Amino acid sequence: VHFDLRTATMADVGFRAAAANLSDIAAMGATPQYLLVSLAIPRTGTSRAVHQLYRGIMAACRPHRVRLIGGDTSASRSGWFLSLTLIGIVPPRKALFRNGARIGDGLYVTGTIGDSLAGLRLLNEPPAHANRHPGHAAISTKHRQFLIERHLRPTARIAEGKWLSAHRFATSAIDISDGLSGDLRHICEESHVGVELDLGALPLSPACRAYAASRKLDPLDLAQTGGEDYELLFTVPPRQRPRLEQSAVERGFALTCIGTIRPRRFGLQALSPQGQRHPLAHTSYEHFT
């Protein structure tokens, strides 16, 4: 269910599989080191397809000097099956977990969110809708390419995760893989806290806004629902926020404060751009529903 060979090349599949694992390492503030690959190949599989798959995997891993040290290869009676395991290291007592958020912490996210879902929807549109949706405005080729690239070739925020860990900025962290609403819920459940999410503060790319406008969608829905952006979602104590934001500017890291951690009894609440508060809808992807 993680890939569709009608819209992704084998190299894309490999890259995305590696990026998902790299992002998990990033969310713990760790440095990725070793990679294991388990691969099952159908009868229709070719050596060229296998080579493309590994090219994509290593294109994601090589910038971080990750070494492929083993795994398993076998035949498959049905489709392709790919399972990656990444091993990383982090200094003692500096690993980031989901259970450290405290009341009053600021809630931050890296980059922009909603792009991957917009890119996926573009890929799944009929060819006739590629540039112009009936009755709607066109989306530029530049924006289209940006969103598709964000879906097929996501960036794992390894540098940002190591920075958060090394400077002890974050009290908790997770990567956005299933969607903002669900992944934020994980932090709140593990930390036994509530949250007030400021929807008006969610960072949206110009391309995501343009796509939403062209399809008459609310870009905030894309940002809350969409997964596989692989941005980091983390919490920061009030006393650390000025230092965090100054350090981010110095390093060129894009961060946005999108909410505040509240007492558990507050629940998970969203504040609309119009100032109305309502329960946070659970709209993230779930495999077994």
Side-chain angles (χ1 to χ4, degrees):
V1 300
H2 280 97
F3 59 88
D4 188 336
L5 293 178
R6 292 172 298 180
T7 56
T9 66
M10 291 301 290
D12 293 330
V13 172
F15 191 101
R16 290 182 71 242
N21 282 266
L22 287 163
S23 186
D24 283 332
I25 296 289
M28 297 193 76
T31 301
Q33 287 201 312
Y34 303 112
L35 173 68
L36 297 152
V37 178
S38 292
L39 175 65
I41 307 168
R43 288 184 181 275
T44 55
T46 63
S47 59
R48 182 173 180 272
V50 174
H51 282 290
Q52 285 185 335
L53 183 72
Y54 274 95
R55 266 193 216 104
I57 291 171
M58 296 316 297
C61 290
R62 200 169 288 113
H64 306 291
R65 300 182 180 180
V66 173
R67 294 164 61 190
L68 175 62
I69 62 169
D72 184 55
T73 307
S74 65
S76 167
R77 293 184 186 275
S78 52
W80 291 87
F81 178 87
L82 175 65
S83 177
L84 272 58
T85 300
L86 256 171
I87 300 167
I89 60 169
V90 65
R93 296 178 298 281
K94 287 199 173 182
L96 301 175
F97 297 99
R98 302 176 182 183
N99 63 357
R102 298 292 179 262
I103 297 167
D105 283 359
L107 178 69
Y108 284 79
V109 68
T110 60
T112 56
I113 53 179
D115 297 330
S116 181
L117 178 57
L120 176 62
R121 290 187 177 183
L122 283 168
L123 286 169
N124 285 328
E125 284 182 351
H129 293 182
N131 293 316
R132 184 177 290 275
H133 204 269
H136 297 171
I139 178 173
S140 72
T141 300
K142 179 182 177 182
H143 284 158
R144 179 182 176 84
Q145 290 175 340
F146 172 84
L147 294 171
I148 290 174
E149 185 78 3
R150 284 277 283 158
H151 177 70
L152 294 178
R153 299 287 175 126
T155 300
R157 302 297 184 183
I158 296 291
E160 289 89 333
K162 289 167 64 176
W163 166 72
L164 290 172
S165 167
H167 294 275
R168 299 185 183 275
F169 285 136
T171 52
S172 68
I174 192 171
D175 70 322
I176 300 180
S177 54
D178 293 327
L180 175 62
S181 67
D183 292 320
L184 175 54
R185 198 170 297 267
H186 291 317
I187 285 181
C188 291
E189 288 174 351
E190 294 291 327
S191 299
H192 307 292
V193 295
V195 69
E196 183 173 24
L197 178 66
D198 183 359
L199 298 180
L202 298 186
L204 302 169
S205 69
C208 185
R209 290 183 186 275
Y211 169 79
S214 72
R215 276 39 172 186
K216 295 185 177 178
L217 301 171
D218 184 348
L220 296 179
D221 288 340
L222 295 172
Q224 291 180 81
T225 305
E228 298 186 327
D229 283 309
Y230 298 114
E231 298 295 348
L232 297 184
L233 182 68
F234 57 97
T235 54
V236 179
R239 68 181 185 281
Q240 290 276 39
R241 290 178 59 178
R243 199 161 66 91
L244 167 98
E245 293 177 7
Q246 179 61 37
S247 182
V249 170
E250 292 170 357
R251 286 166 171 75
F253 294 153
L255 308 178
T256 306
C257 183
I258 59 171
T260 306
I261 298 300
R262 301 296 190 195
R264 189 174 189 176
R265 63 181 178 275
F266 183 89
L268 279 67
Q269 300 281 331
L271 185 67
S272 75
Q274 294 75 35
Q276 299 169 324
R277 188 180 287 120
H278 57 83
L280 179 65
H282 193 172
T283 56
S284 290
Y285 182 78
E286 295 184 40
H287 278 278
F288 298 104
T289 55

